[in-house]
Amino acid sequence: MSRTPNQDQQIVLINTFTVKSENADALLAVLAEATEKVMRHRPGFVSATFHLSLDRMHVANYARWRSRADFDATMSDPIAREHMGKAGKLAERFEPMLYTVAHDEQRAAS
Amino acid sequence: MSRTPNQDQQIVLINTFTVKSENADALLAVLAEATEKVMRHRPGFVSATFHLSLDRMHVANYARWRSRADFDATMSDPIAREHMGKAGKLAERFEPMLYTVAHDEQRAAS
């Protein structure tokens, strides 16, 4: 079984930002604005969920895109890059990683 | 606005495993088995989604729990710890992080 994604396979971006805790809210605001104004209008955007760690030193974006090609097209868009640059400046570092979903479990019926 | 979670707030675990690519499928199988046999039957488990990175060198678990207390109770359970130990042995390292959801966006209506 091959898990190499094809053009039709949904992908997941998990981008983990390390932040100074005092910058966490500003970073979340920039990410929300970028998504509201740019990302969600781009072809292939499915959803984005932004998370704040309990220690307020990490912010994680969990985003679904219809395909790798759609994600790559948005990432090479100058307007999207400008927004991501603003986010990057608020973080100490960030680690974007692209995934496919391998397995999914819901709560057992009770 | 405080984002400190209370006992009633849903939390998200994002656990990122770094693996040798030849161990990725085995790790995914151990995580799926642990979730199927143990986690999903525990109070407060909501969902778990397992991801394989496109480079096959990372596996990420994205899991929702009803509350921090439910998550902590499961993590201190010896049977759950045994399963997580098996997963840990297949990884080079793993970085669990607890979050709350700060913001959520869906695709714009077209």
Side-chain angles (χ1 to χ4, degrees), chain B residues 52-69:
Chain B
L52 177 62
S53 66
L54 301 193
D55 65 7
R56 297 183 57 88
M57 293 181 66
H58 295 87
V59 167
N61 174 19
Y62 181 96
R64 291 181 181 256
W65 288 81
R66 183 177 54 192
S67 71
R68 172 76 188 263

Side-chain angles (χ1 to χ4, degrees), chain B residues 34-56:
Chain B
T35 305
E36 176 64 30
K37 288 190 177 171
V38 181
M39 304 300 178
R40 70 194 287 259
H41 306 284
R42 289 291 186 272
F45 175 86
V46 177
S47 65
T49 307
F50 301 103
H51 307 73
L52 177 62
S53 66
L54 301 193
D55 65 7
R56 297 183 57 88

Side-chain angles (χ1 to χ4, degrees), chain A residues 65-97:
Chain A
W65 288 80
R66 184 178 54 192
S67 71
R68 173 76 189 262
D70 289 318
F71 174 77
D72 287 346
T74 293
M75 289 304 108
S76 62
D77 175 324
I79 296 170
R81 292 176 73 92
E82 183 187 323
H83 280 274
M84 295 321 293
K86 281 173 68 178
K89 281 181 189 157
L90 284 164
E92 303 306 299
R93 65 193 180 101
F94 53 97
E95 296 174 273
M97 187 75 63

